């Protein structure tokens, strides 16, 4: 066992003494030592209860004959980081999480790992670390939040931001805004729609790194705690069988996750994170692969923010395993791949049949292609991403006039101030991985457009990214970004968005464009601390915004 590096032989007497100072006893020295990597935090709703989830995990480890050792990682709450400098640290935290876990698991050799994440960057950061360390590993998330109820209507987090637009229009008053504040987020857990956190937990289950229902079982249920205990037991068996992450994080498993990504209309941020995980696992996945998967995989579920259906509803009708089972009927799933609990084919044998309403059947999908599309063209030579499953039909092929903003806040002010009109394309630039830096999420402007009633006639394009809670014709991840001289730095005139044909085109004469290019791009921002190092090392969004090798 790897932990023998700190517990076997006379020369390890000092190490055993240190372990005994922790309360380890002689009989435990011959048992598997299991790391429990927990992202518990007192002010992240998705993580507030992870201490309790960890307790059940550790009970399961002990049940199976292992010895648990818990340590913690950081985790940014995007809800609290939104609309200020803190959001620039959200994506950037992913690399810190992976690096810090590498440090801890290398300095303290253990035999297996249980990862307990829940929110946006913590899930991919931990999966990247799992691939890097390649120790027998399994995940159990904290689970999703329950939907809220405001004005007798179920709502998620995204509706709060849309309500701000309605408030600025005079459509609702202080009493309704207070109702949203008090009741939109009724429990702990990751926000209740198919936003990035829930998307990544569902895709992690699809890859095979967590047990069935690991992505959808609500945070507050006893079933979530039983899954945690079963996860603790399962990791000891993975150690005994020497099943490691790189046995599971294969191209076929990644393709399964991409198929589910398309079928459930996952957050556009999953593109960034799946590319980063593939890079860490040394699996060849590109935007072209994602685009091809999008073209051939039907969308079978449409969840909030694209509809009034929530993760809890998906869970109630069979969850991700039922989605996978239905996809498998059309040959969209590799059933022979390994997961943390048997093959994918083994797992879906016990899954329920699709109900046809929340999880549509293959013969009656929401769309014939996937919920996410990759667009390219002169405005996005290296690609861009749109959650097409949340775009209104009239915006699928749209030409509008560019309204250009060098940053998110001026755009928000213009939208809420009534300056944006039907037929406009809001362009927010210098918010990419390097230019932001940190590629901040922009839920506020997309929600403001919806709240203003403009999501049927106004689009938004950015080299930054969007919250999984965003909906509408919101195209992000434009690459190359403005800070690297991408065409988005020289935008003006008309822009043509053609989602069915996967194109994003700036309609401008070459001569005009050459004159604009002579003026150059904005100089880099004055930075310090971690963001300064991050901006120097981070690569483009089309490569997952990973660090340079």
């Amino acid at each position: 066992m790897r932990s023998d590096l700190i517990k076997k032989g006379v020369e390890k007497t000092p190490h055993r003494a240190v372990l005994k100072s922790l309360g380890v006893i002689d009989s435990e020295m011959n048992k598997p030592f299991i790391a429990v990597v927990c992202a518990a935090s007192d002010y992240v709703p998705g993580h507030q209860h992870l201490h309790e989830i960890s307790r059940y995990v550790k009970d399961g480890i002990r049940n199976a004959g292992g010895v648990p050792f818990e340590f913690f990682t950081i985790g940014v709450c995007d809800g609290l980081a939104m609309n200020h400098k803190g959001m620039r640290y959200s994506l950037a935290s992913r690399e810190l999480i992976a690096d810090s876990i590498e440090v801890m698991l290398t300095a303290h050799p253990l035999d297996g790992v249980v990862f307990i994440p829940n929110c946006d960057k913590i899930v991919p950061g931990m999966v990247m670390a799992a691939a890097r360390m390649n120790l027998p590993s399994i995940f159990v998330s904290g689970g999703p939040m329950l939907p809220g109820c405001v004005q007798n209507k179920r709502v998620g987090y995204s509706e709060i931001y849309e309500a701000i637009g309605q408030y600025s229009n005079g459509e609702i008053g202080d009493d309704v805004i207070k109702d949203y504040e008090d009741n939109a987020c009724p429990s702990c857990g990751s926000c209740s729609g198919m936003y990035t956190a829930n998307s990544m937990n569902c895709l992690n289950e699809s890859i095979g790194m967590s047990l069935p229902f690991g992505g959808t079982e609500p945070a507050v249920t006893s079933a979530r705690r039983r899954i945690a205990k079963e996860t603790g037991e399962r990791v000891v068996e993975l150690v005994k069988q020497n099943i490691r992450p790189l046995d599971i994080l294969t191209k076929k498993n990644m393709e399964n996750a991409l198929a589910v990504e398309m079928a459930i209309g996952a957050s556009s941020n999953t593109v960034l994170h799946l590319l980063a995980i593939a890079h860490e696992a040394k699996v060849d996945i590109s935007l072209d692969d994602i685009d091809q998967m999008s073209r051939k995989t039907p969308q079978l579920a449409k969840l909030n923010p694209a509809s009034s259906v929530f993760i809890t509803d998906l869970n109630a009708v069979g969850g991700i395993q039922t989605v996978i089972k239905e996809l498998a009927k059309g040959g969209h799933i590799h059933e022979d791949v390994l997961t943390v609990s048997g093959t994918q084919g083994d797992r879906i044998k016990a899954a329920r049949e699709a109900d046809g309403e929340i999880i549509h059947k293959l013969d009656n999908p929401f769309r014939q292609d996937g919920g996410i599309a990759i667009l390219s063209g002169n405005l996005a030579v290296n690609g861009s991403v749109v959650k097409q499953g949340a775009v209104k039909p009239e915006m699928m092929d749209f030409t509008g006039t560019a309204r250009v903003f060098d940053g998110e806040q001026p755009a928000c002010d213009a939208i809420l101030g009534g300056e944006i009109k039907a037929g406009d394309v809001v362009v927010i630039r210098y918010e990419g991985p390097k230019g932001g830096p940190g590629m901040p999420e922009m839920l506020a402007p997309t929600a403001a457009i919806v709240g203003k009633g403009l999501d049927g006639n106004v689009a938004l394009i950015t080299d930054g990214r969007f919250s999984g809670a965003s909906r509408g014709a919101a195209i992000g991840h434009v690459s190359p970004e403005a800070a690297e001289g991408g065409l988005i730095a020289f935008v003006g005139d008309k822009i043509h968005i053609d989602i069915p044909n996967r194109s994003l085109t700036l309609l401008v004469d070459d001569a005009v464009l050459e004159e604009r290019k002579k003026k150059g791009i904005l100089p880099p921002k004055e930075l310090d601390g971690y963001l300064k190092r991050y901006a120097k090392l981070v690569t483009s969004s089309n490569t997952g915004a990973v660090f340079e090798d």
Side-chain angles (χ1 to χ4, degrees):
M1 290 190 291
R2 186 169 177 267
S3 60
D4 288 350
L5 291 169
I6 56 172
K7 63 186 186 184
K8 292 291 185 181
V10 67
E11 69 277 11
K12 303 301 182 184
T13 300
H15 301 71
R16 290 194 297 274
V18 171
L19 290 169
K20 288 188 173 181
S21 76
L22 299 173
V24 177
I25 60 177
D26 286 335
S27 63
E28 291 177 317
M29 293 292 182
N30 295 317
K31 296 178 179 180
F33 280 11
I34 308 297
V36 178
V37 186
C38 184
S41 168
D42 282 349
Y43 70 130
V44 180
H47 295 188
Q48 184 189 40
H49 63 305
L50 294 191
H51 289 293
E52 183 185 8
I53 298 297
S54 177
R55 179 166 59 84
Y56 281 91
V57 166
K58 289 186 284 188
D59 287 346
I61 292 169
R62 293 188 183 97
N63 285 350
V67 184
F69 295 87
E70 183 176 16
F71 68 89
F72 300 91
T73 67
I74 61 169
V76 172
C77 175
D78 284 4
L80 295 176
M82 199 74 68
N83 303 128
H84 60 85
K85 183 180 178 180
M87 179 47 72
R88 305 196 184 283
Y89 287 84
S90 180
L91 179 61
S93 71
R94 188 186 69 186
E95 274 41 53
L96 279 177
I97 290 165
D99 289 350
S100 66
I101 294 169
E102 175 192 349
V103 168
M104 290 294 288
L105 292 180
T106 305
H108 314 107
L110 302 181
D111 303 305
V113 192
V114 177
F115 292 93
I116 310 176
N118 213 27
C119 291
D120 296 31
K121 309 323 153 300
I122 298 90
V123 181
M126 287 187 174
V127 180
M128 291 163 69
R132 190 182 303 176
M133 298 305 299
N134 202 30
L135 297 168
S137 299
I138 187 169
F139 283 69
V140 56
S141 75
M145 180 185 291
L146 300 177
C149 184
V150 176
Q151 304 293 293
N152 297 315
K153 177 184 176 182
R154 290 199 309 168
V155 300
Y157 182 70
S158 59
E159 282 87 349
I160 308 173
Y161 278 89
E162 293 170 11
I164 295 171
Q166 296 165 349
Y167 183 83
S168 71
N169 274 354
E171 297 173 30
I172 60 175
D174 292 339
D175 58 334
V176 178
I177 284 289
K178 187 64 162 62
D179 198 358
Y180 274 100
E181 180 181 321
D182 290 345
N183 298 305
C185 298
S187 73
C188 64
S190 48
C191 294
S192 55
M194 187 54 78
Y195 312 150
T196 308
N198 288 326
S199 294
M200 284 308 305
N201 284 323
C202 288
L203 296 191
N204 209 23
E205 179 184 340
S206 308
I207 289 172
M209 288 300 293
S210 68
L211 294 176
F213 292 95
T216 58
E217 185 63 45
V220 297
T221 65
S222 297
R224 169 60 57 183
R225 282 131 188 88
R226 292 196 298 272
I227 291 171
K229 190 177 289 186
E230 290 165 357
T231 297
E233 291 184 341
R234 186 64 194 161
V235 73
V236 177
E237 190 61 30
L238 293 174
V239 171
K240 291 176 181 177
Q241 296 179 24
N242 197 30
I243 295 173
R244 297 170 181 260
L246 294 185
D247 298 325
I248 297 171
L249 295 172
T250 65
K251 183 154 188 174
K252 284 185 175 182
N253 291 70
M254 295 288 288
E255 287 174 345
N256 283 351
L258 289 173
V260 172
E261 174 186 53
M262 300 306 165
I264 63 176
S267 164
S268 59
N269 284 317
T270 57
V271 172
L272 273 178
H273 299 320
L274 287 173
L275 288 171
I277 291 166
H279 176 268
E280 199 71 58
K282 296 179 172 56
V283 172
D284 182 20
I285 297 287
S286 68
L287 281 182
D288 288 339
D289 295 308
I290 296 172
D291 182 49
Q292 289 304 311
M293 190 64 73
S294 171
R295 291 174 186 270
K296 68 183 183 182
T297 309
Q299 184 174 353
L300 303 181
K302 181 173 282 195
L303 287 85
N304 179 273
S307 78
S308 58
V309 177
F310 290 85
I311 295 288
T312 50
D313 303 317
L314 180 67
N315 184 73
V317 297
I320 293 302
Q321 295 305 309
T322 293
V323 174
I324 294 173
K325 186 171 188 174
E326 188 65 21
L327 286 172
K329 294 176 182 178
H332 299 290
I333 292 293
H334 302 289
E335 296 186 50
D336 59 341
V337 297
L338 187 64
T339 76
V340 292
S341 56
T343 67
Q344 189 59 263
D346 293 334
R347 292 189 0 156
I348 59 175
K349 286 177 183 176
R352 294 169 59 175
E353 295 293 331
D355 70 312
E357 182 177 349
I358 291 173
I359 302 174
H360 281 210
K361 296 181 182 291
L362 285 174
D363 60 3
N364 182 35
F366 282 100
R367 330 175 32 93
Q368 293 295 336
D369 56 357
I372 291 176
I374 307 299
L375 311 185
S376 59
N378 69 348
L379 191 49
V381 174
N382 294 335
S384 61
V385 182
V386 62
K387 188 174 181 177
Q388 65 172 342
V391 178
K392 287 189 172 181
E394 59 267 34
M395 295 299 292
M396 295 296 286
D397 189 346
F398 177 77
T399 300
T401 302
R403 297 291 307 277
V404 185
F405 302 91
D406 293 334
E408 176 186 6
Q409 193 56 53
C412 285
D413 293 342
I415 297 165
L416 292 174
E419 299 174 30
I420 302 302
K421 307 297 183 184
D424 285 343
V425 178
V426 177
V427 178
I428 304 177
R429 61 191 184 185
Y430 294 100
E431 294 286 19
K434 286 186 178 292
M439 211 179 176
E441 282 188 355
M442 296 183 215
L443 175 56
T446 57
I449 287 171
V450 174
K452 285 284 190 179
L454 296 171
D455 55 321
N457 46 43
V458 168
L460 197 158
I461 295 172
T462 182
D463 51 6
R465 60 195 178 92
F466 299 109
S467 166
S470 293
R471 61 187 173 108
I475 300 164
H477 308 203
V478 169
S479 179
E481 62 176 289
E484 293 195 312
L487 194 59
I488 193 172
F490 311 104
V491 162
D493 309 289
K494 299 281 188 178
I495 294 173
H496 181 207
I497 300 165
D498 186 352
I499 296 175
N501 290 306
R502 304 297 201 266
S503 69
L504 183 63
T505 308
L506 176 63
L507 306 176
V508 61
D509 291 337
D510 289 342
V512 173
L513 192 57
E514 287 306 312
E515 283 299 313
R516 289 180 188 161
K517 287 184 176 180
K518 289 177 183 178
K519 298 178 182 178
I521 61 175
L522 290 182
K525 296 171 182 174
E526 290 293 327
L527 301 170
D528 56 20
Y530 176 56
L531 283 185
K532 184 175 183 178
R533 283 183 284 135
Y534 181 85
K536 287 181 178 179
L537 294 172
V538 71
T539 60
S540 174
S541 58
N542 71 301
T543 56
V546 297
F547 280 173
E548 294 175 359
D549 288 329

